[in-house]
Amino acid sequence: MAPPAEVLAVRGLSKTFPGVRALDGVDLTLHAGEVHALIGENGAGKSTLIKLLTGVHRPDAGDIVFQGRTVSFGTPLEAQKAGISTIYQEVNLIPLLSVARNLFLGREPRNRFGLLDFARMHHEAEQALGAHGVRVDVRRPLRSLGVGAQQMVALARAVASEVRIVIMDEPTSSLEPREVETLFSVIRRLRDEGIAVIYVSHRLDELYAVCDTVTVLRDGRRVHHGRLAELDRLSLVSTMLGRELGEVRKEGLTKFTGDHHATDTEPVLEARDLRVAHQLHGVSVSIRPGEVVGLGGLLGSGRTETAKAISGALGTSSGRVTVAGVPLRAGSTPAAIRAGISLLPEDRKSEGIVPGLSVRENISLAALPRLSRFGLVSEARVDSIVDTFIDRLRIKASSPNQKVGELSGGNQQKVLLARWLAMNPKVLLLDEPTRGIDVGAKAEVQKLVDELAADGLGVLLISSDLEELIEGSDRVVVLKDGAVVGELTGDEVTEDKLMRTIAGHSPDGDVVEEAATDG
């Protein structure tokens, strides 16, 4: 049997940005029907490689050979028309247009008069989405769907045209388990049809579930290429991090067991009976100084809404929040910040960083009022704070003046964290702090959270990663459908008991009553 045809060959690809060698002589081959894992720490060069393959950037050196022909795409549209589609971690569609218009954008069906054929478009859109397990009104604006459903629309769009390669950049970051299984089914179908897939993910379980081969990048260079099944997980992580196996066992894969020094002191934060119509139904949570409280539950359980309600970013119909015993004015983000509450949002791109501003400007943004006198900002104080947090959080940037949009995802997350730590908060609300970042950056963020708690900071930790939630929390408050359904402490904080509680059982396995919800 003849081996599958080679659809892509990358030879000696290099790219330099101001002060940063993003790619340095990278090689990669991809065959028809192959699912190829592309992995590496944040800043390893994964995103740069994808942008070179899809025409966002042009290489400084090297060749891209696609289907036997050397190519140089000037725009992503050129790459897409040639047969390379990309699904990004952040949905890259137009929220105000309908689901159907997004699905067929740039290739809309037309009638014999050259006008848009909406009836045909809607029918074909329903069929395309139905094949991926999505049942929605395709006439609705895309923004009316949840993030997971929007991601599935992006997936359907990517595979609807005549593609030869589909690039998936952290495609499951916003998906529920049911949607992840649908995605895997689509990937297997693409493989059976001879379509090649480049799969970027930091979730090792996913890689071993669907990928055939792997390329590992580190510091812009290729450090490994081969069959994924021939590399065990520990060796894979060791290759990514460039550390000895013993060091990885010690630092990267061991149980996260920091001593948070939580005491029986009074809570630094108390949220009582928080209610938001159709979203929260009497949620209560408290955090003591030096304590990390996990917020568990499935997507849509009310975790993000709880954090936003506490921080004043989401108005409540009832309930109260107190910080160090002082009541907080409801629905006021400035009041929450002044009281000492800082929120690291789930979507750092749209709700956190300002990509066009520098690292320095992003870090100092929230603290500027404290750093000014008579309307004049002390540049020396700004520099001092910025330099302190770049060093403390080990932010990798060519200089404080580099645009934050040019940094890797993990370093962008650190910049956002530095911004709020510069405010000297009493309580830090972390919503998916390691979402979309690799195992190395994840370990650094976890270690930093532990250090902050040890310094007396109260932390609320939201994570869809059960292992991260269990290993990083002193207590876990479990939400379901916008209500608290249980709380795990001490030895109860295990994966089995957490999953039982989420499923509607007590930690000991007994069925519990569903919490009443608002109408």
Side-chain angles (χ1 to χ4, degrees):
M1 182 176 178
E6 185 177 274
V7 294
L8 179 74
V10 171
R11 299 167 182 160
L13 216 58
S14 297
K15 182 66 179 179
T16 301
F17 297 103
V20 178
R21 182 79 163 177
L23 279 186
D24 188 2
V26 167
D27 295 338
L28 182 146
T29 56
L30 188 65
H31 295 85
E34 176 186 349
V35 182
H36 192 106
L38 179 63
I39 65 172
E41 291 191 86
N42 286 101
K46 306 185 302 292
S47 296
T48 301
L49 178 57
I50 290 173
K51 289 175 180 178
L52 294 177
L53 294 177
T54 56
V56 177
H57 299 311
R58 295 194 179 222
D60 297 330
D63 295 313
I64 300 172
V65 180
F66 176 55
Q67 293 188 297
R69 182 172 60 91
T70 301
V71 296
S72 179
F73 300 122
T75 66
L77 183 59
E78 285 184 20
Q80 185 177 349
K81 287 182 176 179
I84 301 178
S85 287
T86 308
I87 304 169
Y88 292 100
Q89 179 180 343
E90 279 81 20
V91 176
N92 195 25
L93 297 175
I94 303 175
L96 295 177
L97 291 184
S98 70
V99 172
R101 288 296 299 273
N102 271 282
L103 197 59
F104 286 94
L105 197 63
R107 51 185 184 85
E108 296 87 347
R110 297 183 180 273
N111 59 26
R112 60 193 180 94
F113 302 108
L115 302 176
L116 291 181
D117 189 339
F118 284 102
R120 178 183 164 195
M121 185 190 303
H122 294 154
H123 175 69
E124 293 183 1
E126 288 172 352
Q127 285 187 319
L129 292 173
H132 301 302
V134 180
R135 302 282 189 272
V136 298
D137 182 355
V138 298
R139 298 166 180 80
R140 291 169 54 187
L142 181 73
R143 66 177 179 179
S144 66
L145 305 185
V147 176
Q150 291 185 32
Q151 189 73 297
M152 296 306 291
V153 172
L155 169 64
R157 171 178 167 78
V159 302
S161 55
E162 294 295 323
V163 297
R164 301 311 307 158
I165 298 174
V166 178
I167 301 173
M168 300 184 177
D169 187 2
E170 299 285 358
T172 65
S173 59
S174 303
L175 302 185
E176 297 184 21
R178 170 182 55 82
E179 294 168 327
V180 172
E181 285 305 314
T182 300
L183 173 67
F184 287 174
S185 297
V186 172
I187 291 174
R188 294 183 183 108
R189 187 169 73 241
L190 293 174
R191 177 167 53 194
D192 293 343
E193 294 173 356
I195 296 171
V197 176
I198 296 177
Y199 193 90
V200 181
S201 178
H202 65 281
R203 298 176 178 176
L204 301 186
D205 288 344
E206 295 178 6
L207 301 179
Y208 282 93
V210 296
C211 295
D212 307 305
T213 52
V214 61
T215 290
V216 183
L217 300 182
R218 188 172 70 240
D219 297 329
R221 297 183 177 90
R222 190 183 85 171
V223 295
H224 180 81
H225 174 82
R227 302 289 300 179
L228 182 58
E230 297 173 359
L231 199 65
D232 65 65
R233 298 187 183 206
L234 195 56
S235 297
L236 181 61
V237 173
S238 175
T239 304
M240 286 173 56
L241 301 180
R243 302 174 187 170
E244 296 299 323
L245 287 177
E247 188 178 357
V248 174
R249 287 192 181 96
K250 181 180 179 182
E251 296 184 11
L253 297 178
T254 55
K255 182 173 174 61
F256 184 58
T257 53
D259 180 7
H260 298 150
H261 306 295
T263 66
D264 293 330
T265 58
E266 290 298 311
V268 66
L269 177 123
E270 281 193 285
R272 290 283 174 260
D273 196 34
L274 299 180
R275 294 179 180 270
V276 178
H278 308 298
Q279 298 182 65
L280 298 180
H281 313 289
V283 172
S284 297
V285 62
S286 64
I287 307 172
R288 290 182 170 84
E291 184 180 33
V292 178
V293 176
L295 208 54
L298 301 176
L299 288 173
S301 62
R303 300 170 304 171
T304 293
E305 290 78 7
T306 297
K308 288 186 174 181
I310 291 172
S311 68
L314 182 64
T316 56
S317 56
S318 67
R320 71 181 195 133
V321 176
T322 60
V323 179
V326 179
L328 188 65
R329 183 158 61 93
S332 172
T333 300
I337 292 173
R338 287 194 297 270
I341 296 177
S342 291
L343 169 64
L344 193 76
E346 176 183 10
D347 190 344
R348 61 177 175 265
K349 288 288 181 68
S350 63
E351 298 181 334
I353 64 166
V354 185
L357 295 184
S358 67
V359 172
R360 180 181 187 273
E361 290 165 326
N362 269 273
I363 291 176
S364 62
L365 196 59
L368 285 178
R370 296 193 302 111
L371 302 175
S372 63
R373 187 175 184 183
F374 305 117
L376 299 176
V377 176
S378 170
E379 298 296 333
R381 293 181 66 190
V382 170
D383 289 337
S384 176
I385 287 177
V386 170
D387 290 343
T388 296
F389 283 105
I390 286 179
D391 181 63
R392 181 180 179 187
L393 274 62
R394 296 179 290 277
I395 297 170
K396 294 181 181 177
S398 58
S399 79
N401 295 317
Q402 184 180 6
K403 288 185 178 181
V404 77
E406 297 175 355
L407 303 186
S408 66
N411 284 298
Q412 289 179 2
Q413 192 77 310
K414 291 180 184 179
V415 167
L416 190 55
L417 186 56
R419 177 194 299 170
W420 294 115
L421 291 179
M423 297 296 292
N424 297 317
K426 297 183 178 72
V427 181
L428 192 59
L429 312 178
L430 302 176
D431 193 353
E432 301 285 5
T434 63
R435 173 178 175 254
I437 64 178
D438 58 73
V439 66
K442 178 178 178 179
E444 287 186 0
V445 171
Q446 289 174 323
K447 182 180 179 182
L448 179 61
V449 171
D450 189 55
E451 291 172 355
L452 294 172
D455 289 341
L457 193 65
V459 179
L460 183 72
L461 175 64
I462 299 173
S463 178
S464 298
D465 186 331
L466 293 186
E467 184 178 357
E468 177 180 1
L469 194 67
I470 291 164
E471 295 179 351
S473 304
D474 299 304
R475 290 187 291 123
V476 177
V477 176
V478 185
L479 300 181
K480 184 178 181 182
D481 299 328
V484 176
V485 294
E487 181 175 320
L488 306 177
T489 61
D491 293 338
E492 291 181 331
V493 184
T494 66
E495 183 171 327
D496 178 67
K497 292 186 176 182
L498 178 55
M499 292 179 68
R500 285 180 177 274
T501 307
I502 291 173
H505 294 72
S506 73
D508 297 322
D510 301 322
V511 178
V512 297
E513 294 286 336
E514 289 285 346
T517 60
D518 298 337

PDB file of all heavy atoms in Angstrom, residues 350-363:
ATOM      1  N   SER A 350     -10.778  40.046  24.801  1.00  0.00           N
ATOM      2  CA  SER A 350     -11.817  41.067  24.665  1.00  0.00           C
ATOM      3  C   SER A 350     -12.109  41.809  25.963  1.00  0.00           C
ATOM      4  O   SER A 350     -12.630  42.921  25.939  1.00  0.00           O
ATOM      5  CB  SER A 350     -13.120  40.434  24.143  1.00  0.00           C
ATOM      6  OG  SER A 350     -13.622  39.494  25.073  1.00  0.00           O
ATOM      7  N   GLU A 351     -11.779  41.226  27.123  1.00  0.00           N
ATOM      8  CA  GLU A 351     -12.130  41.848  28.401  1.00  0.00           C
ATOM      9  C   GLU A 351     -10.915  42.215  29.247  1.00  0.00           C
ATOM     10  O   GLU A 351     -11.072  42.752  30.333  1.00  0.00           O
ATOM     11  CB  GLU A 351     -13.027  40.900  29.220  1.00  0.00           C
ATOM     12  CG  GLU A 351     -14.360  40.588  28.540  1.00  0.00           C
ATOM     13  CD  GLU A 351     -15.217  39.666  29.393  1.00  0.00           C
ATOM     14  OE1 GLU A 351     -14.658  38.896  30.205  1.00  0.00           O
ATOM     15  OE2 GLU A 351     -16.440  39.726  29.258  1.00  0.00           O
ATOM     16  N   GLY A 352      -9.709  41.918  28.751  1.00  0.00           N
ATOM     17  CA  GLY A 352      -8.534  42.142  29.583  1.00  0.00           C
ATOM     18  C   GLY A 352      -7.492  43.040  28.971  1.00  0.00           C
ATOM     19  O   GLY A 352      -7.486  44.256  29.185  1.00  0.00           O
ATOM     20  N   ILE A 353      -6.617  42.461  28.172  1.00  0.00           N
ATOM     21  CA  ILE A 353      -5.493  43.223  27.634  1.00  0.00           C
ATOM     22  C   ILE A 353      -5.945  44.228  26.573  1.00  0.00           C
ATOM     23  O   ILE A 353      -7.012  44.085  25.983  1.00  0.00           O
ATOM     24  CB  ILE A 353      -4.426  42.288  27.026  1.00  0.00           C
ATOM     25  CG1 ILE A 353      -5.016  41.527  25.821  1.00  0.00           C
ATOM     26  CG2 ILE A 353      -3.865  41.354  28.062  1.00  0.00           C
ATOM     27  CD1 ILE A 353      -3.980  40.855  24.961  1.00  0.00           C
ATOM     28  N   VAL A 354      -5.124  45.228  26.346  1.00  0.00           N
ATOM     29  CA  VAL A 354      -5.299  46.155  25.224  1.00  0.00           C
ATOM     30  C   VAL A 354      -4.143  45.871  24.273  1.00  0.00           C
ATOM     31  O   VAL A 354      -3.025  46.354  24.468  1.00  0.00           O
ATOM     32  CB  VAL A 354      -5.267  47.624  25.696  1.00  0.00           C
ATOM     33  CG1 VAL A 354      -5.577  48.552  24.522  1.00  0.00           C
ATOM     34  CG2 VAL A 354      -6.258  47.849  26.827  1.00  0.00           C
ATOM     35  N   PRO A 355      -4.384  45.045  23.239  1.00  0.00           N
ATOM     36  CA  PRO A 355      -3.267  44.509  22.436  1.00  0.00           C
ATOM     37  C   PRO A 355      -2.412  45.556  21.756  1.00  0.00           C
ATOM     38  O   PRO A 355      -1.230  45.337  21.521  1.00  0.00           O
ATOM     39  CB  PRO A 355      -3.970  43.596  21.414  1.00  0.00           C
ATOM     40  CG  PRO A 355      -5.401  44.020  21.411  1.00  0.00           C
ATOM     41  CD  PRO A 355      -5.678  44.528  22.783  1.00  0.00           C
ATOM     42  N   GLY A 356      -2.993  46.718  21.428  1.00  0.00           N
ATOM     43  CA  GLY A 356      -2.230  47.746  20.739  1.00  0.00           C
ATOM     44  C   GLY A 356      -1.336  48.563  21.645  1.00  0.00           C
ATOM     45  O   GLY A 356      -0.485  49.318  21.168  1.00  0.00           O
ATOM     46  N   LEU A 357      -1.512  48.415  22.965  1.00  0.00           N
ATOM     47  CA  LEU A 357      -0.670  49.140  23.915  1.00  0.00           C
ATOM     48  C   LEU A 357       0.511  48.267  24.346  1.00  0.00           C
ATOM     49  O   LEU A 357       0.490  47.055  24.201  1.00  0.00           O
ATOM     50  CB  LEU A 357      -1.485  49.552  25.144  1.00  0.00           C
ATOM     51  CG  LEU A 357      -2.616  50.552  24.915  1.00  0.00           C
ATOM     52  CD1 LEU A 357      -3.259  50.938  26.232  1.00  0.00           C
ATOM     53  CD2 LEU A 357      -2.127  51.794  24.173  1.00  0.00           C
ATOM     54  N   SER A 358       1.510  48.900  24.912  1.00  0.00           N
ATOM     55  CA  SER A 358       2.724  48.189  25.314  1.00  0.00           C
ATOM     56  C   SER A 358       2.500  47.399  26.593  1.00  0.00           C
ATOM     57  O   SER A 358       1.488  47.564  27.293  1.00  0.00           O
ATOM     58  CB  SER A 358       3.861  49.188  25.540  1.00  0.00           C
ATOM     59  OG  SER A 358       3.572  50.008  26.674  1.00  0.00           O
ATOM     60  N   VAL A 359       3.464  46.558  26.910  1.00  0.00           N
ATOM     61  CA  VAL A 359       3.449  45.831  28.175  1.00  0.00           C
ATOM     62  C   VAL A 359       3.394  46.820  29.326  1.00  0.00           C
ATOM     63  O   VAL A 359       2.619  46.674  30.279  1.00  0.00           O
ATOM     64  CB  VAL A 359       4.694  44.934  28.289  1.00  0.00           C
ATOM     65  CG1 VAL A 359       4.796  44.318  29.685  1.00  0.00           C
ATOM     66  CG2 VAL A 359       4.671  43.840  27.229  1.00  0.00           C
ATOM     67  N   ARG A 360       4.212  47.851  29.260  1.00  0.00           N
ATOM     68  CA  ARG A 360       4.270  48.881  30.304  1.00  0.00           C
ATOM     69  C   ARG A 360       2.917  49.546  30.504  1.00  0.00           C
ATOM     70  O   ARG A 360       2.435  49.698  31.635  1.00  0.00           O
ATOM     71  CB  ARG A 360       5.320  49.922  29.925  1.00  0.00           C
ATOM     72  CG  ARG A 360       5.510  51.070  30.912  1.00  0.00           C
ATOM     73  CD  ARG A 360       6.564  52.034  30.372  1.00  0.00           C
ATOM     74  NE  ARG A 360       6.916  53.070  31.328  1.00  0.00           N
ATOM     75  CZ  ARG A 360       6.253  54.224  31.449  1.00  0.00           C
ATOM     76  NH1 ARG A 360       5.208  54.464  30.673  1.00  0.00           N
ATOM     77  NH2 ARG A 360       6.648  55.113  32.339  1.00  0.00           N
ATOM     78  N   GLU A 361       2.271  49.916  29.403  1.00  0.00           N
ATOM     79  CA  GLU A 361       0.984  50.618  29.490  1.00  0.00           C
ATOM     80  C   GLU A 361      -0.111  49.692  30.015  1.00  0.00           C
ATOM     81  O   GLU A 361      -0.977  50.120  30.782  1.00  0.00           O
ATOM     82  CB  GLU A 361       0.607  51.175  28.123  1.00  0.00           C
ATOM     83  CG  GLU A 361       1.496  52.329  27.672  1.00  0.00           C
ATOM     84  CD  GLU A 361       1.358  52.646  26.199  1.00  0.00           C
ATOM     85  OE1 GLU A 361       1.144  51.695  25.392  1.00  0.00           O
ATOM     86  OE2 GLU A 361       1.474  53.829  25.835  1.00  0.00           O
ATOM     87  N   ASN A 362      -0.090  48.433  29.617  1.00  0.00           N
ATOM     88  CA  ASN A 362      -1.097  47.491  30.094  1.00  0.00           C
ATOM     89  C   ASN A 362      -0.970  47.223  31.580  1.00  0.00           C
ATOM     90  O   ASN A 362      -1.978  47.133  32.291  1.00  0.00           O
ATOM     91  CB  ASN A 362      -1.000  46.176  29.314  1.00  0.00           C
ATOM     92  CG  ASN A 362      -1.883  46.152  28.081  1.00  0.00           C
ATOM     93  OD1 ASN A 362      -3.061  45.803  28.146  1.00  0.00           O
ATOM     94  ND2 ASN A 362      -1.322  46.553  26.947  1.00  0.00           N
ATOM     95  N   ILE A 363       0.258  47.078  32.070  1.00  0.00           N
ATOM     96  CA  ILE A 363       0.452  46.807  33.493  1.00  0.00           C
ATOM     97  C   ILE A 363       0.019  48.000  34.347  1.00  0.00           C
ATOM     98  O   ILE A 363      -0.638  47.844  35.377  1.00  0.00           O
ATOM     99  CB  ILE A 363       1.919  46.449  33.788  1.00  0.00           C
ATOM    100  CG1 ILE A 363       2.254  45.080  33.173  1.00  0.00           C
ATOM    101  CG2 ILE A 363       2.188  46.430  35.298  1.00  0.00           C
ATOM    102  CD1 ILE A 363       3.712  44.677  33.333  1.00  0.00           C
TER     103      ILE A 363
END
